[in-house]
Amino acid sequence: MSILCVGSVALDSVRTPFGSAENVLGGSAVFFTAAATLFHSVQVVGVVGEDYPLHELDFLSSRGADLSGIERRTGESFFWSGSYSSDLSTRDTLETRLGVFANFEPKIPESFQSARIVFLGNIDPILQLDVLDQVKNPDIVACDTMNYWIEGSRDVLLKLLERVRILIINDEEVRQLAGNSNLLKAARWVQEQGPEMVVVKKGEHGATLFADDWLFFVPGFPLEKVFDPTGAGDAFAGGFLGYLAKAGSLSPGDLRCAMVYGSIIGSYAVEQFSIRGLINLSPKEINQRLIEFREMTAFETHVLSEDHV
Amino acid sequence: MSILCVGSVALDSVRTPFGSAENVLGGSAVFFTAAATLFHSVQVVGVVGEDYPLHELDFLSSRGADLSGIERRTGESFFWSGSYSSDLSTRDTLETRLGVFANFEPKIPESFQSARIVFLGNIDPILQLDVLDQVKNPDIVACDTMNYWIEGSRDVLLKLLERVRILIINDEEVRQLAGNSNLLKAARWVQEQGPEMVVVKKGEHGATLFADDWLFFVPGFPLEKVFDPTGAGDAFAGGFLGYLAKAGSLSPGDLRCAMVYGSIIGSYAVEQFSIRGLINLSPKEINQRLIEFREMTAFETHVLSEDHV
């Protein structure tokens, strides 16, 4: 199943308690693609300025990314800089310069329009809708969003959700979107707006998939070394959808496995700055954490005798 | 394996967004015992004042609790009142009256001194140490503590930890105790102080068992209706140790299953005020959530071919 990804292609400057990185590769489309191409090829649509070091994305092409949908325009690339708190639980945005991203109008190349899976990174829901008007009946439309759009573009966002099959969102945002602090009720509310499934990302606590009448939990991989949480959510989405594309199925078994792969790829992403943790990641390393995830969650059900008390 | 539990036996007045309950049964020993007796008998040591409605604990005796170690003294029982925030994530203590608990000196009846499992509820670590001086070589000493003792009685607490096999503690507290915001490092630090295992309780995010060279995650059961989080941690500890006592083993398989039972019992505890959710809880209801936990966490490991990229 072919994947189309539309999102930001940015330069980030990030400070964490463990160091800093200046003008490194970032943006939702970049993190997603670095993750998803570990499993499957990806068609990417975005925009960059004259300053963007596109050659640094060559490794993505070599593992199946088609970057021909990334437009280069006159001007600066989208730039974000932020600083994380000592425990990495919060971050302050120091600077945002939209650059050429301010006038981004996704144009989906004809050869991308038949993608079976579409991932809409966290951009203006008007643009996300615009992308859906350009593609031909994909099997899976998955999208991310954030507090900025939930507050400022609620109506458009709700219109978008009617056309989304899987909403991938973090826990604070889904509570805000649904106006309900109870996660289960918040996810069920979202499902009433259109999405068949909701994937709630919970940082170090992992993620939960809310499907029609079942749900699935995957923990966050326990790490001694978290260097940079930037992009972890997009890396999760990339691992999740990349695995589903490879499996070619939305069976409950494949959805569960996709959740685990999402968490694995997210865990490798945060161990280094930018997408560095995903550049040389091998199937062997991915498999190793898969086995560890199984050991950390599997148990035998010793049910109680019904007259034991 | 017999269980001895020493902790507070209190009256609570609790306000949540869903209602309030006045002067209801509370305290760590009460929640623990209401949970653990679903699996195994428990010997309880505590103190109450003249006002305590001990007859309301009769149902615990009928399922195997020996309450003869609860001393009744002249004066008022330990009283706590608190109010939860609208999303139940934080609470304010409105009033604490120690009453007879202020001079609590646990006296372990001779018939309780050979217990194989000892649970030290969250009381002054001086008293927790005092209990350990009165018992004969238990197989498992498990204890809980809180920020108050971590701040004010750190030295005694560290001395206690040398004699504890399983520390059961919440995530904020273990980070505070270890002075490390990374949960894995914090738990490993605790293990260097003595405990072979650390069980970290994470509220709605479930709990993690850190054993010698492995760990196990159990999620929180997803609930639409959380009425009153008071006592959830002690109910978890009761389910966890109650199951281990019943199993009579600390095998990895039984420890994993005990974690799941802890989370199940905790989930039933928070669905009603006080210990009401645990009074009529049936093995059938417990088994039902056990099966559901399995469905929410089990996955087939489809490992990647090592040359797929």
Side-chain angles (χ1 to χ4, degrees), chain A:
Chain A
M1 296 171 89
S2 47
I3 309 180
L4 164 65
C5 164
V6 183
S8 56
V9 180
L11 290 171
D12 290 345
S13 286
V14 181
R15 285 185 219 158
T16 81
F18 310 107
S20 61
E22 305 289 327
N23 286 302
V24 291
L25 302 176
S28 59
V30 170
F31 276 101
F32 178 91
T33 304
T37 51
L38 292 161
F39 300 91
H40 197 275
S41 59
V42 177
Q43 299 163 328
V44 188
V45 170
V47 64
V48 296
E50 294 152 300
D51 54 349
Y52 206 84
L54 275 178
H55 62 278
E56 292 185 30
L57 297 180
D58 285 349
F59 79 98
L60 291 176
S61 305
S62 75
R63 64 190 197 204
D66 183 338
L67 307 178
S68 63
I70 300 182
E71 205 182 336
R72 199 191 270 279
R73 287 210 186 159
T74 308
E76 241 196 338
S77 299
F78 183 20
F79 173 82
W80 174 81
S81 84
S83 174
Y84 285 86
S85 63
S86 61
D87 64 357
L88 300 170
S89 67
T90 57
R91 71 180 184 194
D92 291 322
T93 290
L94 302 175
E95 193 181 355
T96 304
R97 296 194 305 265
L98 290 178
V100 296
F101 191 69
N103 302 308
F104 180 41
E105 289 174 4
K107 283 182 205 69
I108 312 303
E110 202 176 334
S111 59
F112 291 7
Q113 292 172 7
S114 305
R116 304 320 308 145
I117 299 179
V118 175
F119 176 68
L120 304 168
N122 167 26
I123 56 176
D124 188 330
I126 292 177
L127 301 184
Q128 293 175 315
L129 269 173
D130 185 36
V131 169
L132 294 187
D133 288 335
Q134 297 178 57
V135 295
K136 296 170 186 154
N137 252 329
D139 295 316
I140 304 174
V141 173
C143 90
D144 190 7
T145 191
M146 68 184 290
N147 48 4
Y148 184 79
W149 310 118
I150 295 170
E151 284 158 26
S153 305
R154 188 175 176 82
D155 291 345
V156 189
L157 188 56
L158 291 178
K159 214 167 130 188
L160 172 72
L161 288 183
E162 293 174 15
R163 299 170 66 181
V164 165
R165 191 159 179 198
I166 309 180
L167 178 65
I168 303 176
I169 188 170
N170 80 32
D171 51 352
E172 272 179 52
E173 289 158 356
V174 76
R175 292 183 219 261
Q176 183 186 11
L177 175 60
N180 198 318
S181 63
N182 180 293
L183 210 56
L184 181 57
K185 283 188 189 167
R188 295 307 183 208
W189 182 90
V190 170
Q191 289 176 300
E192 286 165 16
Q193 314 311 310
E196 183 184 326
M197 288 174 255
V198 184
V199 174
V200 178
K201 300 172 287 183
K202 299 178 290 186
E204 69 167 327
H205 299 300
T208 306
L209 169 67
F210 296 86
D212 45 0
D213 60 350
W214 58 276
L215 41 81
F216 180 75
F217 287 95
V218 62
F221 192 84
L223 294 170
E224 289 215 6
K225 182 184 82 168
V226 177
F227 245 76
D228 175 10
T230 312
D234 292 305
F236 181 99
F240 176 74
L241 291 173
Y243 177 78
L244 289 179
K246 181 182 163 72
S249 127
L250 278 186
S251 71
D254 281 320
L255 283 163
R256 286 155 192 261
C257 213
M259 289 289 290
V260 179
Y261 277 117
S263 193
I264 291 170
I265 306 305
S267 73
Y268 279 113
V270 301
E271 286 187 305
Q272 296 188 49
F273 279 109
S274 179
I275 54 169
R276 288 173 201 165
L278 306 181
I279 294 177
N280 295 312
L281 188 55
S282 69
K284 191 174 169 179
E285 290 167 298
I286 296 171
N287 286 336
Q288 189 185 318
R289 288 208 174 156
L290 182 71
I291 303 301
E292 289 176 299
F293 263 101
R294 181 159 177 100
E295 286 172 3
M296 292 185 305
T297 58
F299 63 95
E300 295 295 320
T301 46
H302 301 143
V303 297
L304 303 180
S305 147
E306 299 214 348
D307 53 46
H308 80 290
V309 177

Side-chain angles (χ1 to χ4, degrees), chain A residues 38 261 294 299 302 308, chain B residues 38 261 294-295 299 302 308:
Chain A
L38 292 161
Y261 277 117
R294 181 159 177 100
F299 63 95
H302 301 143
H308 80 290
Chain B
L38 292 163
Y261 278 118
R294 181 157 176 102
E295 286 172 358
F299 63 95
H302 301 144
H308 80 290

